[in-house]
Structures are given as structure tokens and as C-alpha cells.
Amino acid sequence: MDVADERGTTERVLTLLGLLQQRQVWTGPDLAERLGVTPRTVRRDVERLRTLGYRVHASQGVGGGYQLGPGQDLPPLLLDDEEAIVTAVSLLIGAGGAVAGAGDAALRALTKLNQVLPARLRHEVRALSGSVESFDGGRTPVDPDVLMTLARACRDEVETSFDYPSGNTVRTRRVEPYRLVTSDRRWYLLAYDLDRDDWRTFRVDRMTDAAARTWHFRPRAAPDAATYVQEGVASRVYPHQARFLIHAAADVVRAQIPAAAAVIRPRDNEHCELLSGAANLDAVLTRVLFLGHTFEVLDPPELATRCHELAQRLRTAGATIAPTPDVADS
């Protein structure tokens, strides 16, 4: 078989696979007519698909024909332009969704699809994804090209550069990207900052001109990505941090406060630690107070003194108001 014949056979087999994915059952004559070949050639092409790992079932009689069945391994799927666009948009919007683990899986799938997506379809994906909003606010939008660049760089372990705001200026950062992490609102990148010689967390929505370099790096011993990013978002980015012992189970407290506002660490079945930060310690104290649980200040020491000051202020405020008599006493 010469190169032209081999190319023709490959294209025909791929077309056959696409047809089998479109309909539950095809008769041999129908497939032969659609492919412009004889039923014997259809049978040979079906065998080629079986060799590649696709389970193609054949049945005789009325209602019989060829049917593509599930296999032990997941073979490649063929998507037409419309199917590829819809799949990419769905993955882009759904990445990091409410289902545990779905965000990472969606991003990996989107990275693979984006790598082979023709340029003409990428523009369609960008246009459609930009037209979708969520009534509950959703996640802060990010540039899909930036997201894909970072995902591939994490996978391929190559240095990456991007422009990032720092104060009133925008500076180029050079990093070894490690993991993309999602919260309920944003995408973050955990990376080793080569200029600062330390681990850093970056918000993806603030990045511009992200580019993967050709220089491969050997991965360093890294902190747990999700924990590191959460601690940074909830505490380290603020000028003041505080730690409390909460007299309630960790699961109960986690359900009361967003992950971006505090880190909850279980102590035992009835106690947990809460780590949080804010522009001032009063804000952190108020956040914990309104959880409604008994708590103790663990750190910093001056916050315990502040608790006494505020408690005295509240007692004084309450003393100026005459208590309301009970209805039964009137």
C-alpha cells in the first residue's frame, strides 16, 4: 500500500468511527453508502477499529448492524467543530465547579483539547465563554489563553513568565509553576518565584502576557498546594493574623465561613483551630464572634487584651438601657 492509499484508508476509518459515534446502530449497507465503499471494505475497516481498541459489535437480522460499545480503556473520541466548541466552553466554565475534584479534571481535559484545537475554533470558544454569566456571581473571569498556558507549563515543568501588578507598577515575574488551585471565586497559581527565591501565590485573573519558556526545571520539594494557597489567601496577605481555639467541630465551623476567609484545622471531635487575617484585629475578632461558638484567643497575645476592652465596652453600652419587663410581670 502506497502513502496515498494508506492516507485514504486512515481517513476512511476515522470517518467510520465518527459515524459509529453519531448513531446507536448502523447497517452495513448504510455505512457502505456513506463511505462510498463496498460492505466488504466496511467489514475490514471495522476490524481495523477493533485492533485499535474500539469494541464494535455486529449483529444479524432485522434491526441488526454495527454498534460501538464500551471498552475496557477509553479510546480517543472524534468531535466535529460544533461538538469541540461546546465541549471546550463547558469545560472552561465548569472548571473548578462545586463537585469535589471536578475542577482539576475539567482543567486537564480542557488542556488536552486546547492543545489540538484549531485556531479558528479557539476564537469561537473565547467568544462563547465570554457570553456566559452566573446569577450567583461565579468565579472571577480569567483569560483562557493564560489559564491554558499555565496548565501546560505545570504539566511540562517549564519556566513561565507573566506580567503582574505590584503596588502601582506592573512587573514581569519569572517562576517555576507548580499547581493551579481554585477557590469558590478565583484561580490561583502556586509557583516558585525565581527572583524572590521563595514560593509565591499569584491570582490568575491579574496576570497578562503569560508565556511558557523552553527551559525545563527539576521540581523542588513543594508545600501542599491547596493548603498553602488557602493559608495565603485567608491569612498571609493581610497585615494582621490571628489564631483561635473554637469549641465546635471543624466540619461545623467550615460550613459557617468561606474557605477564603479562614483556615480550619481540627483538634478533636469537639474543637478546632481557626486561622484568619484582616486589615485590623477587630475585624478578625468580629468574624469569629458571630460564628456563635465559645472560643479562646491563641495568638496574638494583644488580641486577648482587646477582647477584655471590647467586653467592657459592651457591658457599659448595655448598662445604659433599662431592661424590658417581662409580659408576665406587667
Side-chain angles (χ1 to χ4, degrees):
M1 180 183 295
D2 60 27
V3 175
D5 290 339
E6 184 175 353
R7 185 186 303 116
T9 300
T10 301
E11 292 175 355
R12 189 179 66 248
V13 171
L14 289 174
T15 302
L16 172 61
L17 176 59
L19 291 172
L20 291 172
Q21 290 175 347
Q22 290 176 13
R23 186 188 297 180
Q24 186 74 9
V25 179
W26 285 89
T27 67
D30 284 344
L31 287 174
E33 181 180 355
R34 292 292 296 267
L35 296 172
V37 296
T38 65
R40 182 179 179 182
T41 300
V42 171
R43 289 195 295 269
R44 286 201 300 262
D45 289 345
V46 165
E47 287 302 320
R48 291 186 175 97
L49 287 176
R50 289 169 175 164
T51 302
L52 294 173
Y54 295 93
R55 290 192 173 184
V56 184
H57 304 296
S59 57
Q60 304 294 327
V62 179
Y66 293 102
Q67 181 179 16
L68 188 62
Q72 292 180 335
D73 300 317
L74 181 64
L77 299 176
L78 288 182
L79 302 176
D80 59 28
D81 286 5
E82 183 178 353
E83 292 167 341
I85 291 172
V86 172
T87 300
V89 171
S90 299
L91 290 170
L92 183 60
I93 295 171
V99 180
D104 291 341
L107 183 57
R108 290 197 304 271
L110 182 58
T111 302
K112 293 177 182 178
L113 183 58
N114 181 265
Q115 189 169 359
V116 298
L117 208 60
R120 69 179 189 280
L121 299 186
R122 291 179 184 174
H123 296 305
E124 296 287 341
V125 171
R126 178 184 289 274
L128 284 175
S129 61
S131 67
V132 178
E133 296 185 5
S134 172
F135 70 88
D136 62 355
R139 181 168 292 113
T140 302
V142 299
D143 187 330
D145 289 339
V146 171
L147 195 62
M148 291 303 96
T149 296
L150 296 176
R152 286 195 295 268
C154 289
R155 179 196 64 190
D156 298 338
E157 298 175 349
V158 293
E159 290 185 10
T160 306
S161 64
F162 50 83
D163 291 341
Y164 199 78
S166 177
N168 296 324
T169 62
V170 176
R171 299 179 179 176
T172 299
R173 310 295 285 267
R174 298 184 309 113
V175 303
E176 295 175 355
Y178 178 62
R179 288 287 188 275
L180 282 164
V181 178
T182 61
S183 72
D184 56 344
R185 294 180 55 199
R186 296 188 176 96
W187 283 98
Y188 298 91
L189 173 70
L190 173 62
Y192 192 85
D193 193 315
L194 295 171
D195 296 321
R196 289 158 178 78
D197 198 25
D198 200 1
W199 292 98
R200 289 289 188 272
T201 297
F202 302 94
R203 278 176 50 175
V204 177
D205 59 289
R206 291 180 175 176
M207 297 180 184
T208 54
D209 294 331
R213 303 157 67 92
T214 57
W215 183 263
H216 286 263
F217 61 87
R218 178 176 297 177
R220 306 168 187 265
D224 178 79
T227 300
Y228 187 91
V229 171
Q230 186 196 6
E231 290 180 354
V233 171
S235 176
R236 285 193 302 268
V237 296
Y238 294 102
H240 297 280
Q241 296 85 38
R243 192 165 56 94
F244 303 85
L245 176 65
I246 311 296
H247 292 224
D251 290 344
V252 173
V253 179
R254 286 195 187 101
Q256 293 181 283
I257 190 167
V263 177
I264 311 299
R265 297 169 178 158
R267 277 277 191 98
D268 53 41
N269 292 336
E270 298 179 354
H271 300 83
C272 64
E273 284 190 19
L274 184 150
L275 176 66
S276 185
N280 60 77
L281 289 176
D282 282 359
V284 182
L285 188 59
T286 302
R287 179 180 297 158
V288 174
L289 177 65
F290 281 99
L291 292 176
H293 306 295
T294 301
F295 66 91
E296 304 169 32
V297 175
L298 299 178
D299 195 58
E302 60 266 26
L303 187 55
T305 302
R306 184 59 175 163
C307 285
H308 291 290
E309 294 174 354
L310 293 177
Q312 182 59 45
R313 186 181 301 175
L314 289 171
R315 281 194 293 267
T316 301
T320 62
I321 302 176
T324 304
D326 294 335
V327 176
D329 296 337
S330 60

